[in-house]
Amino acid sequence: ETGVTQTPRHLVMGMTNKKSLKCEQHLGHNAMYWYKQSAKKPLELMFVYNFKEQTENNSVPSRFSPECPNSSHLFLHLHTLQPEDSALYLCASSQAGGVLYGYTFGSGTRLTVV
Amino acid sequence: KQEVTQIPAALSVPEGENLVLNCSFTDSAIYNLQWFRQDPGKGLTSLLLIQSSQREQTSGRLNASLDKSSGRSTLYIAASQPGDSATYLCAAPREAAGNKLTFGGGTRVLVKP
């Protein structure tokens, strides 16, 4: 593992389900991120948290609801998703206030909405 | 707004040949430039991080250069191996954008035995 752990690795859910993705980092970082990677598209930033506070919401639909209870944990709550939301969801962490030491990514959750 | 472009989108080479991957960015006021590797369906693994004050960074068979004035970075992989087959992405965070990364579309590399 890279220091950023994501669970589950794979998730299949129906459009009426509610599920959550979890991300945990043990690197002492204080910024955490959710990215979405769809087929044949560049990585898209979804949310940024600095010191547990959300500082960026990149026009993400409200059916995606992030939660950051502390600097080490990040969740993405999912409800009433659409098939086009099927993608690889990646969590990352870094030092806040800048990225002088770079980002560390998790292995991702492969989400399939049926 | 930062735009990052990676050319070519795909590359196929025979084993042993050197790889040259290109990354260009529109805003040269960057903190650094980071190269990642992504295996199919997996997360991103950081390969090299070049600070804005540096011109290059090396790790084993990998060497990355950075030319901020021209908005370019190049990743060289010497003596390629089939295990180097993956997608390679670059990211260049703008100083004005805080800690948000902007990624290129990636270069998909296939090294044939």
Side-chain angles (χ1 to χ4, degrees), chain A residues 8-66:
Chain A
R9 296 293 294 270
H10 301 274
L11 178 62
V12 179
M13 60 185 289
M15 289 190 284
T16 59
N17 291 159
K18 289 185 179 181
K19 296 287 185 183
S20 296
L21 310 185
K22 180 182 176 181
C23 177
E24 185 174 359
Q25 58 95 5
H26 302 286
L27 301 169
H29 290 164
N30 39 39
M32 297 188 77
Y33 315 81
W34 281 116
Y35 279 83
K36 175 183 178 181
Q37 188 175 38
S38 304
K40 301 186 189 297
K41 292 176 68 175
L43 276 156
E44 302 171 59
L45 178 65
M46 300 175 72
F47 301 103
V48 179
Y49 277 82
N50 286 288
F51 298 100
K52 304 188 300 178
E53 300 298 322
Q54 186 182 124
T55 56
E56 181 83 14
N57 177 337
N58 197 23
S59 303
V60 180
S62 60
R63 57 186 183 270
F64 295 91
S65 175

Side-chain angles (χ1 to χ4, degrees), chain B residues 18-30:
Chain B
N18 295 334
L19 286 164
V20 180
L21 309 179
N22 298 300
C23 172
S24 61
F25 45 94
T26 54
D27 188 340
S28 60
I30 57 174

Side-chain angles (χ1 to χ4, degrees), chain A residues 27-31 33 50 93-103, chain B residues 99:
Chain A
L27 301 169
H29 290 164
N30 39 39
Y33 315 81
N50 286 288
S93 69
S94 76
Q95 294 296 340
V99 287
L100 291 179
Y101 302 105
Y103 270 41
Chain B
N99 51 355

